[in-house]
Amino acid sequence: EKGGFDSFMDKEIHDQPQAIADTLLGRMDASGKLVLDEMNVDESVLKSIDKIVVVACGTAAYAGQVAKYAIEHWCRIPTEVELAHEFRYRDPVVNEKTLVVAVSQSGETMDTIMAVRHARQQGAKVIAICNTYGSTIPRESDAALYTHAGPEVAVASTKAFLSQIVACYLLGLYLAQLRGNKFSDEVQAILTELQAIPDKLAKVLENKQQVIDLAHSQQDTQSVLFLGRHVGYPVAMEGALKLKELAYIHAEGFAAGELKHGPIALIDDGQLVFIVVPTVRGRDSLHAKVISNIQEVRARGANTIVIAEEGDEAVREYASEVIYVPRTPTLLAPLLTTVPLQIFAMELATAKGLNVDQPRNLAKSVTVE
Ligand code: BG6
């Protein structure tokens, strides 16, 4: 059932082009308009919401953090992302005009279930983004938008994460379409670009040997840092989480802009630092700023592994190594840039002789608070 792969995780990483294609399937009509039949919430309610709160745990929460950049941009609705266990116990301001989006692969994470219950008690509408049909979270929500990633067996989430981003984006695009935002051209363009992601992901996977070699050369590493900006920031945190979960290595993700406010003190000779570089088009100023961050850590002796889009030659000068991914609009880049980080963590753990499907101390779904 591992389909010829060494582990479920390896298989699930390679399932990602299909997982995204399946999550997009049947959700657009012939004219390219989004049709989300499962969106069981009154259109008038969706038009009147004035705040979105995404609640989730672990990797699912990072998917929410990526989605925040997109949803706020397309919908102009203030969007917060909160860890479900923090949300539930801090007396959050939630009411009939709040849309709570609960993101969960299993649909059985108790912390997220409790957040859903609390939100509904306050009168909020709740939409579940979930990978497991009929599980508790979609059952207890007003509507469910399923990710069609297929069963995910490995404890550390991979294909569910990318599918959650896609489903959150579909929700954001749907709300933008419904509310007739001024970004409607961009909404159409993004839908078209989303369809191209599975092929681009296949290309990222074709180039995996570079990442495998890198991971095997780093098996004695004690600490790895990840920097990202804009949507690359949650990607950096997800890259760090994968490495903690799988390889038991101390790893941290930072917002690149925060570097000079503290984390740069950690940089010493040989420190391994991954930098997720924003796309060049449309975000020129961010791109230049991240290049200067690479330069800053390199000048202090860091071993800089840069993930950038094809054609970005500017990153080469300060990079120890560049991992290129195909070009895509800025907001879609996490669907590509996450994958080398997943492969790096899996291969480093494999090189250390660890079980990548069932890391120590972790459970696939945590059904206690
Ligand atoms: C953790 C899993 O316990 O729960 C993570 O090990 C996962 O991989 C997190 O991201 C949230 O789970 P779910 O099912 O709610 O997405």
Side-chain angles (χ1 to χ4, degrees):
E1 63 225 66
K2 289 178 193 161
F5 290 96
D6 290 342
S7 62
F8 281 107
M9 189 179 185
D10 201 8
K11 173 183 180 291
E12 287 159 10
I13 286 175
H14 288 81
D15 281 346
Q16 291 182 117
Q18 194 62 48
I20 301 254
D22 289 346
T23 299
L24 291 170
L25 196 70
R27 285 175 161 158
M28 271 162 256
D29 68 14
S31 70
K33 201 168 159 248
L34 261 178
V35 188
L36 298 183
D37 292 333
E38 57 270 76
M39 201 51 72
N40 240 333
V41 178
D42 246 22
E43 287 198 357
S44 61
V45 174
L46 293 177
K47 279 182 181 156
S48 69
I49 55 166
D50 62 8
K51 181 166 93 165
I52 296 175
V53 184
V54 182
V55 294
C57 301
T59 290
Y62 292 141
Q65 292 212 22
V66 170
K68 174 189 158 83
Y69 289 86
I71 294 175
E72 279 200 337
H73 176 61
W74 294 326
C75 303
R76 311 311 298 156
I77 305 171
T79 304
E80 297 169 12
V81 185
E82 191 157 12
L83 294 167
H85 34 91
E86 286 296 319
F87 170 83
R88 169 65 186 86
Y89 292 102
R90 72 170 174 85
D91 191 19
V93 179
V94 182
N95 56 39
E96 297 73 20
K97 292 198 156 189
T98 312
L99 180 67
V100 170
V101 181
V103 185
S104 173
Q105 189 286 130
S106 63
E108 300 296 349
T109 298
M110 187 51 77
D111 287 318
T112 311
I113 294 173
M114 296 308 282
V116 167
R117 289 182 185 158
H118 183 73
R120 293 197 77 197
Q121 274 159 16
Q122 311 300 305
K125 289 286 178 231
V126 178
I127 294 179
I129 291 189
C130 186
N131 197 44
T132 311
Y133 294 91
S135 57
T136 306
I137 290 171
R139 272 195 283 115
E140 294 204 11
S141 299
D142 293 284
L145 187 57
Y146 283 102
T147 47
H148 297 153
E152 192 180 66
V153 176
V155 167
S157 183
T158 54
K159 63 178 179 175
F161 175 68
L162 295 195
S163 308
Q164 284 159 353
I165 294 173
V166 170
C168 287
Y169 278 18
L170 291 178
L171 176 63
L173 293 165
Y174 180 77
L175 291 173
Q177 183 180 279
L178 192 75
R179 295 161 65 108
N181 280 63
K182 62 183 165 97
F183 291 108
S184 53
D185 286 353
E186 190 178 333
V187 167
Q188 280 311 317
I190 288 282
L191 281 172
T192 307
E193 291 281 359
L194 265 173
Q195 309 281 350
I197 290 291
D199 284 347
K200 292 181 184 179
L201 262 174
K203 291 217 175 76
V204 175
L205 292 167
E206 274 165 28
N207 293 335
K208 67 180 175 179
Q209 196 57 45
Q210 181 191 8
V211 183
I212 296 174
D213 294 344
L214 177 68
H216 286 258
S217 74
Q218 294 296 328
Q219 49 179 300
D220 298 323
T221 301
Q222 301 292 316
S223 146
V224 184
L225 304 181
F226 296 78
L227 299 177
R229 195 160 179 143
H230 193 261
V231 286
Y233 170 35
V235 170
M237 292 191 290
E238 170 61 7
L241 179 61
K242 283 282 123 353
L243 207 53
K244 292 176 221 182
E245 289 178 311
L246 296 167
Y248 319 147
I249 290 175
H250 176 254
E252 267 193 88
F254 298 108
E258 194 64 6
L259 193 64
K260 59 184 173 302
H261 302 293
I264 200 163
L266 289 168
I267 308 295
D268 204 354
D269 232 14
Q271 172 69 53
L272 188 60
V273 184
F274 277 85
I275 304 103
V276 183
V277 177
T279 57
V280 184
R281 289 156 303 149
R283 295 278 189 288
D284 302 23
S285 58
L286 284 189
H287 181 263
K289 288 197 170 87
V290 175
I291 302 265
S292 83
N293 292 140
I294 305 172
Q295 190 177 350
E296 283 155 11
V297 293
R298 183 68 187 267
R300 288 162 181 82
N303 182 6
T304 50
I305 312 297
V306 172
I307 301 178
E309 66 177 5
E310 267 160 18
D312 184 351
E313 291 301 321
V315 296
R316 278 194 190 277
E317 193 176 346
Y318 305 106
S320 313
E321 197 164 332
V322 186
I323 299 164
Y324 282 114
V325 298
R327 295 177 71 158
T328 192
T330 301
L331 289 169
L332 301 190
L335 298 170
L336 305 178
T337 54
T338 302
V339 177
L341 302 181
Q342 296 169 338
I343 296 172
F344 180 76
M346 176 180 70
E347 291 295 332
L348 188 47
T350 304
K352 290 175 76 172
L354 302 172
N355 180 340
V356 295
D357 286 338
Q358 289 193 302
R360 69 183 181 199
N361 307 340
L362 298 178
K364 181 68 183 155
S365 137
V366 181
T367 53
V368 291
E369 265 194 282

